[in-house]
Coordinates of all heavy atoms in Angstrom, one line a residue:
I23 N 0.9 -1.2 0.0 CA 0.0 0.0 0.0 C 0.9 1.2 0.0 O 0.6 2.2 -0.8 CB -0.9 0.0 1.2 CG1 -2.0 -1.1 1.1 CG2 -1.6 1.4 1.3 CD1 -2.9 -1.0 0.0
D24 N 1.9 1.3 0.8 CA 2.8 2.4 0.9 C 3.5 2.7 -0.3 O 3.7 3.8 -0.8 CB 3.7 2.3 2.1 CG 3.0 2.4 3.5 OD1 1.9 3.0 3.5 OD2 3.6 2.0 4.5
L25 N 4.1 1.7 -1.0 CA 4.9 1.8 -2.1 C 4.1 1.9 -3.4 O 4.3 2.9 -4.2 CB 5.9 0.7 -2.2 CG 6.9 0.7 -3.4 CD1 7.7 2.0 -3.4 CD2 7.8 -0.5 -3.4
D26 N 3.3 0.9 -3.7 CA 2.7 0.8 -5.0 C 1.5 1.8 -5.1 O 1.2 2.2 -6.3 CB 2.1 -0.6 -5.2 CG 3.2 -1.6 -5.4 OD1 4.0 -1.8 -4.4 OD2 3.3 -2.3 -6.4
L27 N 0.9 2.2 -4.0 CA -0.2 3.1 -4.0 C 0.2 4.5 -3.6 O 0.2 5.4 -4.5 CB -1.4 2.6 -3.1 CG -2.8 3.2 -3.3 CD1 -3.8 2.4 -2.6 CD2 -2.9 4.7 -2.9
I28 N 0.6 4.7 -2.4 CA 0.9 6.0 -1.9 C 2.2 6.6 -2.6 O 2.3 7.7 -3.0 CB 1.0 6.0 -0.4 CG1 -0.3 5.6 0.2 CG2 1.5 7.4 0.1 CD1 -0.3 5.4 1.7
G29 N 3.2 5.7 -2.7 CA 4.4 6.2 -3.4 C 4.2 6.6 -4.8 O 4.8 7.6 -5.3
T30 N 3.4 5.8 -5.5 CA 3.1 6.2 -6.9 C 2.3 7.5 -7.0 O 2.5 8.3 -7.8 CB 2.3 5.1 -7.6 OG1 3.1 3.9 -7.6 CG2 1.8 5.5 -9.0
S31 N 1.4 7.7 -6.0 CA 0.7 8.9 -5.9 C 1.6 10.1 -5.7 O 1.4 11.2 -6.3 CB -0.4 8.9 -4.9 OG -1.2 10.0 -4.9
Y32 N 2.6 10.0 -4.8 CA 3.6 11.1 -4.6 C 4.3 11.4 -5.9 O 4.6 12.5 -6.3 CB 4.6 10.7 -3.5 CG 4.1 10.9 -2.1 CD1 4.3 9.9 -1.1 CD2 3.4 12.1 -1.8 CE1 3.8 10.1 0.1 CE2 2.9 12.3 -0.5 CZ 3.1 11.3 0.5 OH 2.7 11.5 1.8
A33 N 4.6 10.4 -6.7 CA 5.3 10.6 -7.9 C 4.5 11.4 -8.9 O 5.0 12.2 -9.6 CB 5.8 9.2 -8.5
L34 N 3.2 11.0 -9.0 CA 2.3 11.7 -9.9 C 2.2 13.2 -9.4 O 2.2 14.1 -10.3 CB 0.9 11.1 -9.8 CG 0.8 9.7 -10.5 CD1 -0.6 9.1 -10.2 CD2 0.9 9.9 -12.1
D35 N 2.1 13.4 -8.1 CA 2.1 14.8 -7.6 C 3.3 15.6 -7.9 O 3.2 16.8 -8.3 CB 1.8 14.8 -6.1 CG 0.5 14.2 -5.6 OD1 -0.4 14.1 -6.5 OD2 0.3 13.9 -4.5
A36 N 4.4 14.9 -7.8 CA 5.7 15.6 -7.9 C 6.0 15.9 -9.4 O 6.6 17.0 -9.7 CB 6.8 14.8 -7.3
F37 N 5.7 15.1 -10.3 CA 6.1 15.2 -11.7 C 5.1 16.0 -12.5 O 5.5 16.7 -13.5 CB 6.3 13.9 -12.4 CG 7.8 13.4 -12.2 CD1 8.1 12.7 -11.1 CD2 8.7 13.8 -13.1 CE1 9.5 12.3 -10.9 CE2 10.1 13.4 -13.0 CZ 10.4 12.6 -11.9
G38 N 3.9 16.1 -12.1 CA 2.9 16.9 -12.9 C 3.4 18.3 -13.1 O 3.4 18.8 -14.3
P39 N 3.8 19.0 -12.1 CA 4.2 20.4 -12.3 C 5.5 20.7 -13.0 O 5.7 21.8 -13.5 CB 4.3 21.0 -10.8 CG 3.4 20.0 -10.0 CD 3.6 18.7 -10.6
V40 N 6.3 19.7 -13.1 CA 7.6 19.9 -13.8 C 7.7 19.3 -15.2 O 8.7 19.5 -15.9 CB 8.8 19.2 -12.9 CG1 8.8 19.7 -11.5 CG2 8.7 17.7 -13.0
M41 N 6.6 18.7 -15.7 CA 6.6 18.2 -17.1 C 6.6 19.3 -18.1 O 6.0 20.3 -17.9 CB 5.3 17.3 -17.3 CG 5.3 16.0 -16.4 SD 6.7 14.9 -16.7 CE 6.4 14.5 -18.4
A42 N 7.3 19.1 -19.1 CA 7.3 20.0 -20.3 C 5.9 20.0 -21.0 O 5.2 18.9 -20.9 CB 8.4 19.6 -21.2
R43 N 5.6 21.1 -21.6 CA 4.4 21.1 -22.4 C 4.4 20.1 -23.5 O 5.4 19.9 -24.2 CB 4.2 22.5 -23.0 CG 2.9 22.7 -23.7 CD 2.8 24.1 -24.3 NE 1.5 24.3 -24.9 CZ 0.5 25.0 -24.3 NH1 0.6 25.4 -23.1 NH2 -0.7 25.2 -24.9
G44 N 3.4 19.2 -23.5 CA 3.4 18.2 -24.5 C 4.1 16.9 -24.1 O 4.2 15.9 -24.8
G45 N 4.7 16.9 -22.8 CA 5.3 15.8 -22.3 C 4.3 14.7 -21.9 O 3.1 14.8 -21.9
A46 N 4.9 13.5 -21.6 CA 4.0 12.4 -21.3 C 4.6 11.5 -20.1 O 5.8 11.3 -20.0 CB 3.8 11.5 -22.5
G47 N 3.7 11.0 -19.3 CA 4.1 10.1 -18.2 C 3.4 8.8 -18.3 O 2.3 8.7 -18.9
L48 N 3.9 7.8 -17.6 CA 3.4 6.5 -17.7 C 3.6 5.8 -16.4 O 4.8 5.7 -15.9 CB 4.0 5.7 -18.8 CG 3.4 4.3 -19.1 CD1 2.0 4.5 -19.8 CD2 4.2 3.5 -20.0
V49 N 2.6 5.3 -15.7 CA 2.7 4.5 -14.6 C 2.5 3.0 -15.0 O 1.5 2.7 -15.6 CB 1.7 4.8 -13.5 CG1 1.7 3.8 -12.4 CG2 2.0 6.2 -13.0
V50 N 3.5 2.1 -14.7 CA 3.3 0.7 -15.0 C 2.6 0.1 -13.9 O 3.1 -0.1 -12.8 CB 4.7 0.1 -15.3 CG1 4.5 -1.4 -15.6 CG2 5.4 0.7 -16.4
S51 N 1.3 -0.2 -14.1 CA 0.4 -0.8 -13.1 C 0.5 -2.3 -13.3 O 1.5 -2.9 -13.5 CB -0.9 -0.2 -13.2 OG -1.8 -0.7 -12.2
S52 N -0.7 -2.9 -13.3 CA -0.7 -4.4 -13.4 C -2.2 -4.8 -13.8 O -3.1 -4.1 -13.5 CB -0.4 -5.1 -12.1 OG -0.7 -6.5 -12.1
Q53 N -2.2 -6.0 -14.4 CA -3.5 -6.6 -14.7 C -4.3 -6.8 -13.4 O -5.6 -6.9 -13.4 CB -3.4 -8.0 -15.3 CG -2.7 -9.0 -14.5 CD -2.6 -10.4 -15.2 OE1 -3.0 -10.6 -16.3 NE2 -2.1 -11.3 -14.5
A54 N -3.6 -6.9 -12.2 CA -4.3 -7.0 -10.9 C -5.3 -5.8 -10.7 O -6.3 -6.0 -10.0 CB -3.3 -7.0 -9.8

């Protein structure tokens, strides 16, 4: 929960504001 859920959410929060215009992000999740 801490790593795969909350840690991933922190990464989304942190990178959104620093992305270049037209940039792209990808979270590798799982069929789960």
Side-chain angles (χ1 to χ4, degrees):
I23 294 295
D24 287 343
L25 178 59
D26 292 59
L27 196 167
I28 298 172
T30 298
S31 187
Y32 279 135
L34 290 168
D35 294 345
F37 270 88
V40 306
M41 294 299 296
R43 187 181 183 95
L48 189 71
V49 171
V50 178
S51 185
S52 167
Q53 66 178 2

